[in-house]
Amino acid sequence: MQANGFISIANLIAAANAELCAHPNTTASGVNRSCQEFLKTTLDNGNNNKNFVQPGPDSCPFTSPY
């Protein structure tokens, strides 16, 4: 992960692969399931051209409250 919650596509794919290798069978209510759901949704948004990709943290107008 990079600054301000940004991640490269390569690192996102690597994180998804690592999560699936570490936890290939999760239940609907498991802790790992929510992480896998987040990764799936992020990859799905990119595959469906929902414009989640930004050139870098400076180009994003969102300021995280965390």
Side-chain angles (χ1 to χ4, degrees):
M1 191 155 288
Q2 298 175 359
N4 297 322
F6 278 77
I7 188 170
S8 70
I9 300 296
N11 286 344
L12 175 63
I13 293 169
N17 284 337
E19 180 59 33
L20 287 172
C21 287
H23 308 285
N25 186 16
T26 57
T27 62
S29 61
V31 173
N32 296 324
R33 178 65 185 179
S34 61
C35 179
Q36 289 176 344
E37 192 70 26
F38 167 78
L39 292 166
K40 179 209 62 92
T41 300
T42 304
L43 290 166
D44 190 45
N45 284 344
N47 285 333
N48 290 299
N49 295 321
K50 293 197 177 177
N51 298 327
F52 77 104
V53 178
Q54 298 289 326
D58 297 332
S59 66
C60 182
F62 176 74
T63 302
S64 175
Y66 306 106

